[in-house]
Amino acid sequence: MISATFIFKQKFTDQEFETLDHSIETFVTNHPEYLGRDQWANEEKGILAVVYYFETEKGLDALKVFSDHKSAKTNYNKWYEGYQVIVSNVLQSYGDGKMEHVTNRKR
């Protein structure tokens, strides 16, 4: 399993951003490699993080070349003060079993 964490500090949104964001989210969640997502906000720092989980890197590779994602990346400075992407291999996940999470699923 692979995870891709997108961390960003947003300036503002507009209709163009909302349209691209919806298109990208739809593309990702309908990709056969997609397993799930998490979302976190740090209000103190004004940042948001979205973590997507994919079976393999194929899902992330498809996102990289998706036309609306490429368009959003080209124009990111209109909407974001800055961003960071962290790509990780999920080696293991554990807990008490009382909370459902994408990483708890049998593969």
Side-chain angles (χ1 to χ4, degrees), residues 31-48:
H31 194 279
E33 292 277 323
Y34 173 77
L35 298 172
R37 68 177 277 209
D38 289 314
Q39 184 169 320
W40 309 98
N42 181 326
E43 292 179 18
E44 184 178 308
K45 292 183 178 182
I47 60 174
L48 181 67

Side-chain angles (χ1 to χ4, degrees), residues 24-88:
I24 293 165
E25 182 73 14
T26 300
F27 177 82
V28 169
T29 58
N30 286 304
H31 194 279
E33 292 277 323
Y34 173 77
L35 298 172
R37 68 177 277 209
D38 289 314
Q39 184 169 320
W40 309 98
N42 181 326
E43 292 179 18
E44 184 178 308
K45 292 183 178 182
I47 60 174
L48 181 67
V50 179
V51 185
Y52 291 108
Y53 298 93
F54 298 99
E55 190 67 41
T56 69
E57 285 189 51
K58 290 178 187 176
L60 185 57
D61 290 343
L63 175 59
K64 289 177 187 176
V65 298
F66 178 54
S67 61
D68 281 350
H69 183 256
K70 288 170 76 172
S71 178
K73 279 185 69 171
T74 300
N75 296 302
Y76 83 92
N77 58 353
K78 288 182 0 183
W79 306 297
Y80 296 154
E81 289 183 30
Y83 75 93
Q84 185 75 27
V85 179
I86 303 164
V87 178
S88 305

